[in-house]
Amino acid sequence: MTTTLPTRRVEPRILVVIALVCAVLWGVAHLGSEIGEGETSGFDRAVLLAFRQTANPNLTIGPLWLRETARDITALGGFTVLTLVTLAAVAVLLVYDRRRQALVFGTTAVVAQVAAEAIKHYVGRERPMFVTQYDLITSSSFPSGHSMMAPAVYFTLAAIIAAGELRPAARRLLMGGSVVLVVAIGISRVYLGVHWPTDVVAGWALGSAIALVAWIALQQRRIAV
């Protein structure tokens, strides 16, 4: 007599997430095509100039402290800060014997960084050079690496922390705070003149998609249809 081991079916919400990730990838690919054809240039310039003084586009709107604040915020999505956050979080997770979460989180950060650099190299979009840039740039423009890494790291970390939090209000605060941080980092990239708005939109979308894949990995040990 043979026995058949039960298989776990994919939850509907997992299928929805997979469909959403595929839609994001298609959307970013379509956006890249529109950028290549120059269809987004008017929008990009208009939004970028909205953060600049009318009389002198080389100067940002607002007082000098606002520009410094933007530089501080943008650093939260930079390579150094995110590397430190990732290493610290992985170390803490390992101390608490949450090895699977540590593996997923560390892998998510590495995959996001590699993917961002690969896409930048492939697309090779120029930065907005017609305004003064108030942050150091070392690579091409599309997508925004800060805007892509921020949701991949902060959304995944928030999901891991929220999984151990029983209070709904605390979970909402964690996720809401991470969203505000990610949005602020992306806006700071445009405000400082180092990215086109569509670079940021693409970064947000790709980073969020990577975070969703990480969420699936955290939820499922084995998925079988």
Side-chain angles (χ1 to χ4, degrees):
M1 178 179 178
T2 59
T3 58
T4 303
L5 294 176
T7 58
R8 295 177 60 189
R9 295 191 174 276
V10 181
E11 296 181 21
R13 60 177 181 171
I14 301 299
L15 293 176
V16 170
V17 169
I18 293 173
L20 182 58
V21 170
C22 292
V24 166
L25 295 178
W26 179 87
V28 172
H30 180 70
L31 177 61
S33 176
E34 293 291 298
I35 290 172
E37 296 173 0
E39 297 295 329
T40 67
S41 59
F43 168 80
D44 278 324
R45 290 180 66 92
V47 174
L48 189 63
L49 289 174
F51 291 99
R52 298 297 169 124
Q53 297 181 19
T54 304
N56 187 356
N58 286 319
L59 297 177
T60 55
I61 58 174
L64 288 177
W65 64 260
L66 182 59
R67 187 189 305 165
E68 290 306 306
T69 299
R71 288 169 61 89
D72 292 339
I73 292 174
T74 211
L76 298 176
F79 178 81
T80 301
V81 171
L82 291 181
T83 298
L84 292 174
V85 169
T86 300
L87 292 176
V90 168
V92 171
L93 289 170
L94 290 176
V95 167
Y96 283 92
D97 199 29
R98 296 164 71 172
R99 290 175 292 180
R100 183 162 166 269
Q101 291 180 335
L103 176 62
V104 170
F105 183 62
T107 301
T108 298
V110 172
V111 168
Q113 182 65 45
V114 172
E117 293 300 324
I119 298 173
K120 281 175 175 288
H121 180 74
Y122 176 76
V123 176
R125 187 185 194 186
E126 291 186 0
R127 301 271 183 164
M129 303 303 293
F130 68 98
V131 294
T132 299
Q133 300 171 334
Y134 291 99
D135 195 28
L136 179 66
I137 55 174
T138 59
S139 61
S140 57
S141 194
F142 183 91
S144 165
H146 285 63
S147 301
M148 183 171 170
M149 288 296 298
V153 171
Y154 291 126
F155 286 173
T156 304
L157 182 58
I160 290 174
I161 297 174
E165 177 57 63
L166 299 178
R167 293 167 295 181
R171 292 198 296 268
R172 289 194 293 269
L173 181 61
L174 278 168
M175 298 310 299
S178 64
V179 169
V180 171
L181 179 58
V182 166
V183 170
I185 290 170
I187 292 175
S188 73
R189 302 307 285 164
V190 180
Y191 181 84
L192 295 172
V194 293
H195 274 293
W196 302 102
T198 46
D199 298 335
V200 171
V201 171
W204 280 338
L206 290 171
S208 298
I210 292 173
L212 285 172
V213 173
W215 179 80
I216 293 175
L218 291 168
Q219 295 292 314
Q220 301 291 313
R221 291 182 179 274
R222 182 184 59 164
I223 299 177
V225 180

